[in-house]
Amino acid sequence: MMVLDATCRKWLQDRFGKDVRFDEPMSRHTSLKVGGPADAFVTPAALEDLQTLIRWSRQAKLPFLVIGGGTNLLVKDAGIAGIVVALTKCLNQISKTGSRGGGVTVRAMAGARLHKLCAFAIAAGLKGMNFALGIPGTVGGAIMMNAGTSHGWMQDVLEEITLLAPAGETRTVAKERLDFSYRKLSLKNTNANGGPGYPIVIDGLFYLQPSDGAKLRQEADEILNRRRATQPTHLPSAGCFFKNPASGKSAGELIDLAGLKGKKIGGALISPQHANFIVNSGGASAGDMLALMETARNTVLKLFNIELEPEVKIVGR
Ligand code: EPU
């Protein structure tokens, strides 16, 4: 089904020029390197361009999907109907904004890479972001996913966020009104929901503590080395594929115990290094990934009576 007609394509071309591509393979924009074409793929150069695009899409009743770094996304082979918006060209500044009660606030825009925020904090001698080292993706994606590791979560350091509401205006939401849970930020009560695709995170304000830069750097090296030793960081993946069950064994341990390390369907492979990573060992399709995901789920369900839920967002037609 094609949603984007010639008139819409012309409007997008005239308004966005080199910042829009049509029938753009999403395999080029996802860390798994799979996924069919988006009807249009737009990288707005400034906030005003994003606002214009959002208002126009709403009027034209076109579906849109805002993506971060595409690092937690499995796009189906038939691609995505409508418009995909990536914020990595705009909204990528990070700056100190003030200090209060012994801490320092840092504002990071949604399109900035999370590792840039971690590096910024270390360079400024600010403690609090090291938990996020090695997590791929953008600040906006990490906020929406409440990204985290055993060392901490986004909810530990976020003070407030700015959202783009459906009419195109921005709105600030304080931490108290943000509903965080495991790998999820729920924004139901922010009056900015407005249907599929909303709200859009524009930035986050982080509250960090002054600390010793050398100590932070040493801790960072240890965290990154541990990650490299236990995870297949050298192959295309979307990080951990399944959420960990609320209690008991981790998803990786369950898939490992099921004997599925090294299991391969097409180019999709359950990492022999860490069983909660489904990697693209070369030439995988989204179909291969989904088939391997189902194999892992069904096997774990049969053996342990535990239903694994993907952490990776599956999108597309
Ligand atoms: N384990 C196995 N076999 C495996 C993998 C793990 O037996 O193949 C065992 C480990 O030995 C350990 C336990 O399972 O006893 C937990 O494993 P690990 O320490 O690797 O942590 P995890 O729960 O699998 C979580 C996050 C990761 C994060 C690491 C380190 C989730 C779903 N995953 O993994 O996050 O990097 O902790 O902090 O919460 C991600 O979200 O993309 C991600 C990779």
Side-chain angles (χ1 to χ4, degrees):
M1 182 185 64
M2 205 190 66
V3 178
L4 216 58
D5 63 17
T7 315
C8 292
R9 285 178 185 238
K10 183 174 184 316
W11 186 90
L12 283 166
Q13 185 67 65
D14 292 346
R15 179 63 179 76
F16 287 97
K18 64 179 185 352
D19 294 334
V20 59
R21 292 187 198 183
F22 297 101
D23 309 306
E24 174 72 1
M26 288 303 294
S27 52
R28 290 188 190 152
H29 304 283
T30 55
S31 59
L32 271 173
K33 301 198 186 307
V34 304
D39 291 339
F41 183 83
V42 188
T43 47
L47 178 60
E48 304 87 87
D49 300 323
L50 173 64
Q51 286 167 309
T52 306
L53 178 63
I54 294 311
R55 286 194 196 103
W56 175 79
S57 309
R58 196 170 162 78
Q59 261 166 23
K61 295 195 165 49
L62 287 169
F64 70 89
L65 172 73
V66 176
I67 66 166
T71 55
N72 203 43
L73 212 56
L74 172 46
V75 179
K76 294 182 187 172
D77 291 317
I80 300 177
I83 300 168
V84 174
V85 189
L87 302 184
T88 39
K89 202 178 262 181
C90 58
L91 304 181
N92 46 23
Q93 301 86 343
I94 300 172
S95 55
K96 269 198 226 180
T97 56
S99 50
R100 164 162 47 82
V104 173
T105 48
V106 171
R107 190 172 298 282
M109 309 291 277
R113 296 279 165 181
L114 193 57
H115 70 79
K116 282 240 163 102
L117 174 58
C118 296
F120 180 97
I122 292 173
L126 295 173
K127 186 182 163 85
M129 283 314 304
N130 269 357
F131 79 90
L133 283 160
I135 297 179
T138 57
V139 169
I143 291 173
M144 286 308 291
M145 291 295 300
N146 190 16
T149 63
S150 46
H151 302 280
W153 314 52
M154 294 299 274
Q155 73 184 73
D156 302 335
V157 281
L158 264 175
E159 278 276 288
E160 64 176 40
I161 63 175
T162 308
L163 300 175
L164 189 59
E169 81 279 15
T170 58
R171 186 170 300 170
T172 300
V173 184
K175 179 175 199 155
E176 302 74 57
R177 295 186 50 218
L178 298 175
D179 185 9
F180 285 108
S181 52
Y182 176 66
R183 294 292 194 273
K184 193 167 172 218
L185 166 60
S186 177
L187 295 164
K188 285 197 195 82
N189 304 317
T190 53
N191 296 327
N193 229 357
Y198 291 104
I200 298 163
V201 175
I202 295 296
D203 67 40
L205 188 70
F206 295 82
Y207 188 64
L208 307 173
Q209 304 297 324
S211 180
D212 175 36
K215 239 167 84 181
L216 286 173
R217 202 159 275 128
Q218 193 192 335
E219 184 190 62
D221 287 344
E222 284 165 13
I223 289 174
L224 285 170
N225 285 336
R226 212 169 314 129
R227 198 178 253 270
R228 279 185 211 109
T230 56
Q231 299 181 357
T233 49
H234 56 291
L235 283 172
S237 79
C240 283
F241 199 94
F242 295 101
K243 293 177 184 173
N244 278 337
S247 62
K249 293 187 168 62
S250 70
E253 205 172 347
L254 290 167
I255 300 168
D256 188 353
L257 287 170
L260 288 172
K261 274 188 170 173
K263 169 82 184 164
K264 207 171 169 196
I265 296 183
L269 168 74
I270 295 186
S271 167
Q273 201 179 351
H274 192 303
N276 197 10
F277 280 71
I278 302 184
V279 300
N280 184 347
S281 67
S285 65
D288 296 341
M289 292 281 165
L290 291 167
L292 195 50
M293 170 187 92
E294 284 308 329
T295 300
R297 287 182 76 171
N298 292 337
T299 313
V300 167
L301 183 62
K302 211 164 20 179
L303 289 176
F304 307 108
N305 201 25
I306 293 171
E307 222 165 309
L308 291 178
E309 203 189 314
E311 177 191 305
V312 169
K313 298 263 180 243
I314 300 166
V315 298
R317 45 195 155 196

